[in-house]
Amino acid sequence: RETAVALADLVHPSLVAVEHVGGVTRYRMLECLRPYAAERCSPHDRRGTRRRHTEYFVALAGSAADGLVGPAEARWVTTITAEFGNLRAVHARACAAGDLEVALRLPADLRVYAYHRLHDEVYGWASRALDLPGSESHAARVDAEVVVATGHLQRGQLALAERRAPYGDDAPAGRGRARRSSQLLAELSLYRGRLDAVDRHGRALVDGARADGDDYDEALGHLYRVHAAAYRGDSTGAAHLLARGWRAVGRVDNPTLRAAYHYLEGEVRLDDEPDAAREMLGRAIELAAEVRNRFIGGIARVSLASLEARHGDANASLPAFREIIDHWRRTGDWVHMWTTLHNLLVLFVRLGAPEPAAVLLGAFDTARTGAPPYGADAERIDAARRWIERTLGPVAAGTSVSRGRGLRDEEVVAYGLEVIDGLLREHATV
């Protein structure tokens, strides 16, 4: 009661600000008062306060690591988002003090939050922690290595991600760490088009998850295996694995997993059942938004825009492509930026815009991030290449392709947006 009264006395003259976040009331000291408050604390009180602050938020991050993969994901996302400033302060303090336990484990506990919210800062925390003296022999080093490799992966730095990923002779000890390694390697292999490796690592993730009774990781393992089967053209195998995965999803009741599986359903039906795919992708986007999942929400929107570009109103899909390219640019996810640009090329072809298509084609040859297309995507791009050469002629096509090869990655994005805006203006005046 005394604390509540004292707090009210500070709120009334606006010395402490009141915030309402996700149904929770929070109190924040004004920035201008922080130095004064720090001076009033004795060194002993300051040390004790910082210790308790660290203990509380380290425990919170540990609880979030479990909560984010359960049914209460939305509540934990709100909590971590609201407390991110405190978590940042704890990690910075741990690094300054050389506290490896906190510096390495905190970003590992926030890995799932960072991955799905595309929160690149957490990957930087792990990288900073790995540079601390003594980290090379710490038990949590592998956890931080996975986080750093995940950051490289989402930035499209796949070669760096492969170098940092723990596997082979450096396979992590402990079942949980082995599962994290399997997931990372499955995803890396997926982006590289190494479908046999995707299936192998996905199977290892399923087996490890079943041994540990972890339904969330089992669902993830099935998800990777569905991708491998579907992209190999094995529709029967993909359907069988998809059913297994949905059963695991049902046992977890996690919103992100449900969004991921609705996306997966839409992705495998994209060309054969566009109406069903459209419904599934829309549901994935809705579920992702409920838990601020910018990763799955983003890839589902790419698939939906691509569906409209190939099977719907091509002109109507232009605003969707503009929006999703802006999304990847804001979040720094270059893997999916290039996936989006691959599909934008197909749209340019359908709209009869051969020169912009040729520029994108050249940019794909010299991209510094991401991975080359494979499978059906590569076939569509090859078909686009042939159409461009027929339409423009070899000389003009070669000139535009060469222009694209000379663009930096950021310039390719700016060029794509410029062309989209031009096409939108043309469409508006027709």
Side-chain angles (χ1 to χ4, degrees), residues 194-209:
R194 301 166 183 163
L195 299 182
D196 288 343
V198 175
D199 188 69
R200 183 173 69 255
H201 293 304
R203 185 188 296 274
L205 183 53
V206 169
D207 292 344

Side-chain angles (χ1 to χ4, degrees), residues 154-178:
Q154 288 194 325
R155 297 184 202 112
Q157 301 163 334
L158 301 189
L160 280 174
E162 286 186 323
R163 287 202 292 272
R164 298 301 294 262
Y167 64 99
D169 294 336
D170 297 323
R175 289 178 176 175
R177 286 174 178 162

Side-chain angles (χ1 to χ4, degrees), residues 227 258-271 273-289 296-308 310-311:
H227 273 104
R258 290 194 178 279
Y261 268 77
H262 277 92
Y263 158 74
L264 190 57
E265 289 263 16
E267 179 70 8
V268 299
R269 299 181 181 189
L270 203 64
D271 289 311
E273 302 175 72
D275 290 338
R278 188 178 289 108
E279 180 181 349
M280 291 292 179
L281 293 169
R283 182 59 179 147
I285 293 167
E286 291 172 2
L287 285 165
I296 292 176
I299 60 176
R301 284 157 59 197
V302 172
S303 290
L304 188 57
S306 302
L307 183 153
E308 299 301 340
R310 299 205 293 265
H311 303 291

Side-chain angles (χ1 to χ4, degrees), residues 205-265:
L205 183 53
V206 169
D207 292 344
R210 284 177 171 170
D212 292 347
D214 190 319
D215 292 322
Y216 185 94
D217 275 0
E218 181 182 340
L220 284 183
H222 288 307
L223 183 146
Y224 290 116
R225 297 194 68 200
V226 171
H227 273 104
Y231 292 167
R232 281 196 303 245
D234 180 8
S235 57
T236 301
H240 177 66
L241 291 166
L242 193 56
R244 286 187 179 182
W246 269 119
R247 287 195 290 271
V249 170
R251 294 193 295 271
V252 182
D253 195 24
N254 174 260
T256 277
L257 278 184
R258 290 194 178 279
Y261 268 77
H262 277 92
Y263 158 74
L264 190 57
E265 289 263 16

